[in-house]
Amino acid sequence: MTATRIRDGLICLAEAPFDSLQILIGVRPVDTGEIKVRASGDWAYRTVRDAFLYEDRATWGGWYAKPRHHITWDELDGITTDDPRLPEIRAWSESLTAVDSWRDRMRPFRLTPGADEWHPHYHEGDVDRPGWNARLHAWEQAIAVLRDAAACAPIEPEQLDLLTHLEETS
Protein backbone atom coordinates (compact mmCIF):
# COMPACT_ATOMS: atom_id res chain seq x y z
CA MET A 1 0.00 0.00 0.00
CA THR A 2 1.24 3.46 -0.76
CA ALA A 3 -0.54 5.34 2.00
CA THR A 4 -0.44 4.83 5.73
CA ARG A 5 -2.55 2.24 7.52
CA ILE A 6 -4.68 4.88 9.24
CA ARG A 7 -5.12 6.93 6.07
CA ASP A 8 -6.24 3.88 4.09
CA GLY A 9 -8.66 2.88 6.85
CA LEU A 10 -10.21 6.35 6.81
CA ILE A 11 -10.45 6.30 3.01
CA CYS A 12 -12.15 2.89 3.11
CA LEU A 13 -14.64 4.17 5.70
CA ALA A 14 -15.31 7.25 3.55
CA GLU A 15 -15.85 5.25 0.38
CA ALA A 16 -17.45 1.93 1.15
CA PRO A 17 -19.41 0.80 4.22
CA PHE A 18 -23.12 1.41 4.52
CA ASP A 19 -22.65 2.01 8.27
CA SER A 20 -19.72 4.48 8.14
CA LEU A 21 -21.77 7.29 9.65
CA GLN A 22 -22.64 5.22 12.73
CA ILE A 23 -19.05 4.02 13.06
CA LEU A 24 -17.84 7.62 12.86
CA ILE A 25 -20.11 8.83 15.67
CA GLY A 26 -19.23 5.89 17.92
CA VAL A 27 -22.13 3.47 17.33
CA ARG A 28 -20.00 0.44 16.49
CA PRO A 29 -21.57 -2.77 15.20
CA VAL A 30 -21.48 -5.65 17.64
CA ASP A 31 -18.72 -8.17 16.99
CA THR A 32 -20.47 -11.53 16.76
CA GLY A 33 -17.23 -13.41 16.14
CA GLU A 34 -18.40 -14.42 12.69
CA ILE A 35 -16.29 -13.62 9.66
CA LYS A 36 -18.91 -11.47 7.86
CA VAL A 37 -16.50 -9.67 5.55
CA ARG A 38 -18.25 -7.22 3.25
CA ALA A 39 -16.98 -5.75 0.02
CA SER A 40 -17.86 -2.58 -1.84
CA GLY A 41 -15.99 -0.71 -4.52
CA ASP A 42 -12.25 -1.25 -4.09
CA TRP A 43 -12.50 -2.43 -0.47
CA ALA A 44 -13.18 -5.49 1.68
CA TYR A 45 -13.92 -4.73 5.33
CA ARG A 46 -15.39 -5.92 8.60
CA THR A 47 -15.74 -4.70 12.15
CA VAL A 48 -14.48 -6.46 15.25
CA ARG A 49 -14.74 -5.58 18.93
CA ASP A 50 -11.93 -3.03 18.94
CA ALA A 51 -11.21 -2.17 15.29
CA PHE A 52 -12.26 -1.72 11.72
CA LEU A 53 -10.50 -4.22 9.45
CA TYR A 54 -9.99 -3.43 5.78
CA GLU A 55 -8.04 -4.40 2.71
CA ASP A 56 -7.86 -3.45 -0.93
CA ARG A 57 -9.94 -5.98 -2.87
CA ALA A 58 -7.05 -6.50 -5.29
CA THR A 59 -4.98 -8.15 -2.53
CA TRP A 60 -7.75 -9.58 -0.35
CA GLY A 61 -7.94 -13.37 -0.13
CA GLY A 62 -11.69 -13.75 -0.63
CA TRP A 63 -14.84 -14.10 1.47
CA TYR A 64 -13.28 -16.23 4.19
CA ALA A 65 -10.09 -14.19 4.47
CA LYS A 66 -9.76 -11.68 7.29
CA PRO A 67 -8.77 -8.26 5.93
CA ARG A 68 -5.09 -7.65 6.75
CA HIS A 69 -5.14 -4.03 7.90
CA HIS A 70 -6.94 -2.25 10.69
CA ILE A 71 -7.67 1.04 12.38
CA THR A 72 -8.63 0.78 16.04
CA TRP A 73 -11.66 2.60 17.38
CA ASP A 74 -9.32 4.63 19.61
CA GLU A 75 -7.27 5.69 16.57
CA LEU A 76 -10.41 6.62 14.64
CA ASP A 77 -11.79 8.61 17.55
CA GLY A 78 -8.43 10.27 18.19
CA ILE A 79 -8.21 11.63 14.66
CA THR A 80 -11.88 12.64 14.20
CA THR A 81 -13.19 13.62 17.67
CA ASP A 82 -12.39 17.32 17.40
CA ASP A 83 -14.06 17.82 14.02
CA PRO A 84 -16.70 20.54 14.44
CA ARG A 85 -19.10 18.72 12.07
CA LEU A 86 -19.51 15.71 14.37
CA PRO A 87 -22.00 17.28 16.83
CA GLU A 88 -24.36 18.12 13.94
CA ILE A 89 -24.08 14.59 12.51
CA ARG A 90 -24.65 13.06 15.96
CA ALA A 91 -27.64 15.32 16.64
CA TRP A 92 -29.22 14.34 13.32
CA SER A 93 -28.73 10.63 14.06
CA GLU A 94 -30.15 10.96 17.58
CA SER A 95 -33.17 12.88 16.26
CA LEU A 96 -34.37 9.90 14.22
CA THR A 97 -37.40 8.29 15.84
CA ALA A 98 -38.95 6.05 13.19
CA VAL A 99 -39.04 2.34 13.97
CA ASP A 100 -37.01 1.72 10.82
CA SER A 101 -34.60 4.63 11.39
CA TRP A 102 -31.75 2.21 10.66
CA ARG A 103 -32.64 2.85 6.98
CA ASP A 104 -31.99 6.56 7.45
CA ARG A 105 -28.59 5.85 9.01
CA MET A 106 -27.55 3.78 5.97
CA ARG A 107 -25.40 5.33 3.28
CA PRO A 108 -27.60 6.70 0.48
CA PHE A 109 -27.22 4.63 -2.66
CA ARG A 110 -26.08 7.67 -4.65
CA LEU A 111 -23.04 7.90 -2.34
CA THR A 112 -21.93 4.28 -2.80
CA PRO A 113 -19.21 2.99 -5.13
CA GLY A 114 -20.84 2.19 -8.47
CA ALA A 115 -23.93 4.24 -7.63
CA ASP A 116 -25.02 4.15 -11.26
CA GLU A 117 -25.19 0.34 -11.11
CA TRP A 118 -28.05 0.35 -8.58
CA HIS A 119 -31.55 0.00 -9.98
CA PRO A 120 -33.29 3.41 -10.04
CA HIS A 121 -35.83 2.06 -7.55
CA TYR A 122 -33.13 2.17 -4.81
CA HIS A 123 -32.37 5.82 -5.51
CA GLU A 124 -36.06 6.70 -5.65
CA GLY A 125 -36.63 4.91 -2.33
CA ASP A 126 -33.93 7.05 -0.73
CA VAL A 127 -35.35 10.30 -2.03
CA ASP A 128 -38.94 9.36 -1.14
CA ARG A 129 -38.17 8.72 2.53
CA PRO A 130 -39.08 11.60 4.84
CA GLY A 131 -36.05 13.67 5.81
CA TRP A 132 -34.09 12.91 2.63
CA ASN A 133 -32.31 16.28 2.47
CA ALA A 134 -31.16 16.05 6.10
CA ARG A 135 -29.98 12.46 5.56
CA LEU A 136 -28.03 13.37 2.44
CA HIS A 137 -26.46 16.35 4.23
CA ALA A 138 -25.48 14.24 7.27
CA TRP A 139 -23.87 11.61 5.04
CA GLU A 140 -22.03 14.17 2.93
CA GLN A 141 -20.68 15.69 6.15
CA ALA A 142 -19.65 12.28 7.54
CA ILE A 143 -17.80 11.43 4.34
CA ALA A 144 -16.12 14.85 4.36
CA VAL A 145 -14.98 14.33 7.98
CA LEU A 146 -13.40 10.98 7.05
CA ARG A 147 -11.75 12.31 3.88
CA ASP A 148 -10.41 15.39 5.66
CA ALA A 149 -9.04 13.20 8.46
CA ALA A 150 -7.40 10.94 5.87
CA ALA A 151 -5.75 13.95 4.23
CA CYS A 152 -4.30 14.95 7.62
CA ALA A 153 -3.30 11.46 8.80
CA PRO A 154 0.29 11.42 10.00
CA ILE A 155 2.99 9.33 8.41
CA GLU A 156 3.48 6.30 10.63
CA PRO A 157 6.89 5.82 12.31
CA GLU A 158 7.51 2.43 10.71
CA GLN A 159 7.17 4.02 7.28
CA LEU A 160 9.62 6.76 8.20
CA ASP A 161 12.08 4.11 9.42
CA LEU A 162 11.73 2.22 6.14
CA LEU A 163 12.28 5.41 4.12
CA THR A 164 15.39 6.24 6.18
CA HIS A 165 16.68 2.70 5.68
CA LEU A 166 16.11 2.91 1.92
CA GLU A 167 17.88 6.28 1.72
CA GLU A 168 20.84 5.03 3.75
CA THR A 169 21.27 1.87 1.65
CA SER A 170 20.90 3.59 -1.73
Side-chain angles (χ1 to χ4, degrees):
M1 298 196 135
T2 57
T4 69
R5 174 183 59 81
I6 291 174
R7 183 175 302 137
D8 284 349
L10 292 164
I11 290 168
C12 176
L13 275 166
E15 292 179 357
F18 275 90
D19 52 1
S20 297
L21 184 143
Q22 291 187 110
I23 289 171
L24 177 64
I25 63 173
V27 181
R28 299 342 179 340
V30 177
D31 179 11
T32 62
E34 298 176 49
I35 293 177
K36 290 198 177 192
V37 175
R38 296 189 233 159
S40 181
D42 295 334
W43 301 99
Y45 52 89
R46 86 179 254 221
T47 56
V48 294
R49 184 174 46 85
D50 58 352
F52 176 74
L53 309 178
Y54 68 93
E55 186 170 350
D56 186 306
R57 282 178 80 172
T59 60
W60 176 50
W63 293 111
Y64 295 102
K66 178 179 163 184
R68 293 186 296 170
H69 310 288
H70 74 280
I71 179 172
T72 67
W73 299 135
D74 289 342
E75 289 170 329
L76 174 64
D77 293 342
I79 201 164
T80 61
T81 291
D82 294 333
D83 193 293
R85 295 168 285 197
L86 283 181
E88 178 187 359
I89 297 167
R90 230 180 241 108
W92 169 80
S93 180
E94 291 169 359
S95 76
L96 300 173
T97 58
V99 172
D100 63 348
S101 61
W102 61 270
R103 292 179 191 266
D104 297 314
R105 290 184 183 96
M106 280 180 49
R107 181 184 298 263
F109 289 97
R110 74 169 53 174
L111 299 178
T112 62
D116 58 332
E117 296 170 11
W118 291 98
H119 190 278
H121 146 242
Y122 288 97
H123 297 285
E124 293 162 7
D126 276 347
V127 174
D128 290 343
R129 272 189 78 74
W132 163 245
N133 289 332
R135 175 182 175 205
L136 182 62
H137 176 72
W139 265 98
E140 288 172 336
Q141 291 300 303
I143 291 168
V145 167
L146 292 165
R147 286 185 176 155
D148 291 351
C152 296
I155 298 293
E156 293 173 332
E158 57 270 17
Q159 286 187 322
L160 292 175
D161 293 344
L162 179 59
L163 289 173
T164 302
H165 174 72
L166 290 174
E167 289 171 357
E168 290 172 356
T169 57
S170 299

